[in-house]
Amino acid sequence: MATYFIFMFYLIFLVVFTLFSASSVSSSSQFVLLPLTHFLTKSKFTSTHHLLKFTTTRSATRFHRHRNHHQQVSLPLSPGSDYTLSFSLGNSNSSVSLYLDTGSDLVWLPCHPFECILCESKPEKAQPLTISSTASTLSCQSPACSAAHSSLPTSNLCAIAKCPLDSVETSDCESFSCPPLYYAYGDGSLIASLYNDSLSMPISSQKYLVLSNFAFGCAHTTLAEPVGVAGFGRGEISFPAQLSSLSPQLGNRFSYCLVSHSFDSGKTHLPSPLILGRYEGKEKVENGEEAEFVYTEMLDNPKHPYFYSVGLNGISVGKKNFPSPGFLKRVDSKGNGGMVVDSGTTFTMLPKSLYDSVVAEFDRRVGRYYQRASGIEEKTGLSPCYYIEKAGNVPMVKLHFTGNESSVVLPRRNYFYEFLDSGDGSEKKRNVGCLMLMNGGDEEELSGGPGATLGNYQQQGFEVVYDLEKRKVGFARRKCASLWENLNKN
């Protein structure tokens, strides 16, 4: 009888939770609006050059690391382009803020007691969370454990968890914890254990989005990695995947709109909207016209299944178009090729052949008017850079994705960063502009992984939608701060 009442209570809870999730938004437009907080710190950097050099180095490291590890937690967003998502776990009164990352599929966070080795130079720090009394360790037989250890069969997981042979043979491993996970990335690593707990996010003054039995990684020791990551990739244990198991109308589609910041904390007063689910509102941007989405198909990557890979046909500089090499238009059976749409990489990385063509044309168009700033290029890792006097004479840059009418025109601030260079103190201050695209290496260096990455800096000022049901990624020009205000009012 007791078992029956427990079962009925659990069944009623699931029904109520599902109804709550669906009724937290209107029946005609079911979505949840959450804030992404922009984080920018300059306290650890002596100059804009220093900040940009750190960011370009981290972007390149993350990009090349993608092809060297089958299992990894991606690098957090570099300083100057950090977008964090906050929530609470279990009965804890404190919230945790994690970097939003569409390039990984695991949610993990620093847990108390926490030790971060070689983190003295890191500009960002996280407050370790104390595991709630309601949290429970995952069984080595659980689907979430198997998904996290995707390269190992469940029987091996049980053996690693010191499950007795008779329990392994009978698949009876519920009482044995999922073994810890090891992740390596660009300049650090971590070991995490998997837990289940309820996750809650405020969506209004009186309502919360609550996910029961949410699986997450808890790291007590990391190397050079002080902040956790909210994985929004395509994997089975990502945030959208776990959300869709309880509320498909929310988990099968999400979008974000990154408020432009240009490495200036004074320009980001409102949060960037993260939209879970589908909304029907039409946003007007320029001349009162509605900005329609430009869609391109998601490509499957068998080696990196959590990536949102798309095909890139080419890039235009002004009116001149440069076709992409063939491997950028598709992904082969070994996981080579395609372009990853990644919120966790700052700057767009291109294969050398395409990058060289774009830079040569850009320099031909801009170099005739402005002096090349070679010294700035060495200090920042960006190239080409110029000493500029006025805003004109910078050509348009357009991305051509695979699919009919799938071209996206980038705003100039998304690919050409302008700042005031103070020199070494002995020279007068001069305005500098740099191209914000990076060389990812030649085709041989890019084997075993993506051919290019679309970074979050180039995504600013767009609503980027990930439609998991229809398997496509879309881009639409938006005034992201206005979008936040309009959706928040409704």
Side-chain angles (χ1 to χ4, degrees):
M1 182 65 70
T3 303
Y4 171 80
F5 281 115
I6 292 173
F7 171 77
M8 290 301 297
F9 175 81
Y10 178 72
L11 180 61
I12 292 172
F13 171 79
L14 286 181
V15 173
V16 171
F17 170 77
T18 303
L19 291 175
F20 167 78
S21 298
S23 62
S24 61
V25 292
S26 66
S27 58
S28 62
S29 175
Q30 295 182 357
F31 71 95
V32 166
L33 177 67
L34 297 169
L36 292 178
T37 302
H38 174 259
F39 174 77
L40 174 64
T41 177
K42 295 185 179 180
S43 60
K44 292 286 185 179
F45 301 102
T46 58
S47 65
T48 301
H49 305 147
H50 188 193
L51 172 59
L52 290 172
K53 184 67 173 179
F54 186 90
T55 306
T56 54
T57 301
R58 291 288 292 272
S59 295
T61 302
R62 172 184 169 95
F63 176 66
H64 289 290
R65 197 69 178 190
H66 276 323
R67 58 192 41 77
N68 296 328
H69 290 271
H70 176 66
Q71 291 185 345
Q72 67 179 38
V73 167
S74 301
L75 285 170
L77 309 187
S78 303
S81 57
D82 301 340
Y83 297 91
T84 60
L85 178 65
S86 298
F87 53 83
S88 59
L89 291 167
N91 56 13
S92 174
N93 293 325
S94 57
S95 63
V96 59
S97 295
L98 305 181
Y99 292 107
L100 176 78
D101 183 18
T102 59
S104 63
D105 63 348
L106 176 69
V107 178
W108 73 269
L109 53 107
C111 293
H112 183 80
F114 178 68
E115 179 186 16
C116 185
I117 305 169
L118 299 180
C119 282
E120 293 78 11
S121 63
K122 297 292 181 177
E124 62 281 291
K125 295 290 189 295
Q127 184 67 33
L129 189 71
T130 299
I131 289 295
S132 167
S133 60
T134 58
S136 60
T137 56
L138 288 180
S139 162
C140 67
Q141 196 183 21
S142 67
C145 183
S146 298
H149 293 273
S150 57
S151 62
L152 296 173
T154 304
S155 58
N156 285 356
L157 297 179
C158 291
I160 292 173
K162 299 181 180 179
C163 188
L165 181 60
D166 56 346
S167 297
V168 174
E169 293 297 334
T170 58
S171 299
D172 184 20
C173 299
E174 286 86 351
S175 60
F176 293 87
S177 300
C178 181
L181 307 169
Y182 170 75
Y183 288 89
Y185 39 83
D187 61 351
S189 59
L190 62 92
I191 293 177
S193 298
L194 289 179
Y195 287 85
N196 263 341
D197 207 346
S198 62
L199 180 150
S200 62
M201 294 177 167
I203 57 176
S204 70
S205 59
Q206 297 179 337
K207 290 185 178 181
Y208 288 80
L209 173 65
V210 179
L211 304 181
S212 60
N213 295 320
F214 187 83
F216 64 95
C218 174
H220 294 288
T221 305
T222 65
L223 174 66
E225 185 47 74
V227 180
V229 173
F232 266 66
R234 299 176 71 181
E236 298 177 27
I237 55 174
S238 70
F239 188 100
Q242 295 194 64
L243 176 60
S244 65
S245 67
L246 290 173
S247 185
Q249 77 273 16
L250 295 181
N252 285 336
R253 176 183 166 115
F254 70 91
S255 65
Y256 53 71
C257 196
L258 304 181
V259 175
S260 299
H261 58 77
S262 298
F263 296 97
D264 185 351
S265 57
K267 292 186 177 180
T268 52
H269 300 292
L270 290 175
S272 299
L274 169 65
I275 306 163
L276 305 178
R278 183 184 303 272
Y279 73 99
E280 303 302 331
K282 300 293 185 180
E283 289 298 316
K284 296 181 179 180
V285 282
E286 297 178 358
N287 302 321
E289 296 181 357
E290 296 177 356
E292 299 292 337
F293 276 103
V294 171
Y295 286 102
T296 184
E297 180 186 2
M298 290 182 189
L299 305 177
D300 293 327
N301 189 317
K303 186 174 181 180
H304 306 283
Y306 42 84
F307 283 161
Y308 295 105
S309 298
V310 298
L312 183 70
N313 277 337
I315 298 179
S316 292
V317 179
K319 295 183 179 180
K320 192 164 185 178
N321 179 51
F322 298 97
S324 298
F327 66 91
L328 278 192
K329 302 176 184 179
R330 62 190 69 89
V331 179
D332 66 20
S333 60
K334 297 181 180 179
N336 300 309
M339 171 180 257
V340 174
V341 183
D342 188 6
S343 69
T345 297
T346 307
F347 299 135
T348 292
M349 309 292 298
L350 299 173
K352 185 177 185 302
S353 58
L354 181 58
Y355 172 82
D356 287 346
S357 297
V358 169
V359 166
E361 179 63 16
F362 195 87
D363 188 53
R364 187 185 72 82
R365 297 281 300 272
V366 180
R368 70 176 69 172
Y369 299 103
Y370 304 125
Q371 176 189 351
R372 190 78 172 254
S374 302
I376 302 298
E377 296 173 4
E378 295 177 3
K379 294 178 181 178
T380 62
L382 295 171
S383 178
C385 295
Y386 307 90
Y387 292 112
I388 58 176
E389 299 175 358
K390 56 183 179 179
N393 304 317
V394 176
M396 177 187 67
V397 172
K398 182 186 295 186
L399 305 179
H400 304 281
F401 296 101
T402 54
N404 295 329
E405 301 180 357
S406 297
S407 297
V408 174
V409 178
L410 296 179
R412 195 178 75 168
R413 66 176 178 269
N414 283 31
Y415 62 88
F416 194 68
Y417 178 52
E418 300 175 42
F419 63 97
L420 186 63
D421 174 53
S422 58
D424 57 6
S426 62
E427 303 175 5
K428 67 176 183 179
K429 295 181 179 180
R430 304 180 67 179
N431 290 318
V432 176
C434 295
L435 183 66
M436 308 291 274
L437 305 175
M438 294 186 63
N439 181 0
D442 58 33
E443 187 169 351
E444 291 184 0
E445 294 178 84
L446 299 178
S447 62
T453 295
L454 181 63
N456 63 57
Y457 198 91
Q458 280 65 51
Q459 298 176 43
Q460 293 179 108
F462 287 90
E463 183 182 355
V464 183
V465 62
Y466 300 79
D467 193 325
L468 306 180
E469 186 176 14
K470 296 183 179 179
R471 297 168 51 85
K472 59 184 182 179
V473 179
F475 306 88
R477 284 290 300 275
R478 296 279 190 259
K479 293 181 179 179
C480 296
S482 298
L483 178 62
W484 168 262
E485 289 184 321
N486 293 339
L487 293 178
N488 206 37
K489 289 178 183 177
N490 297 329

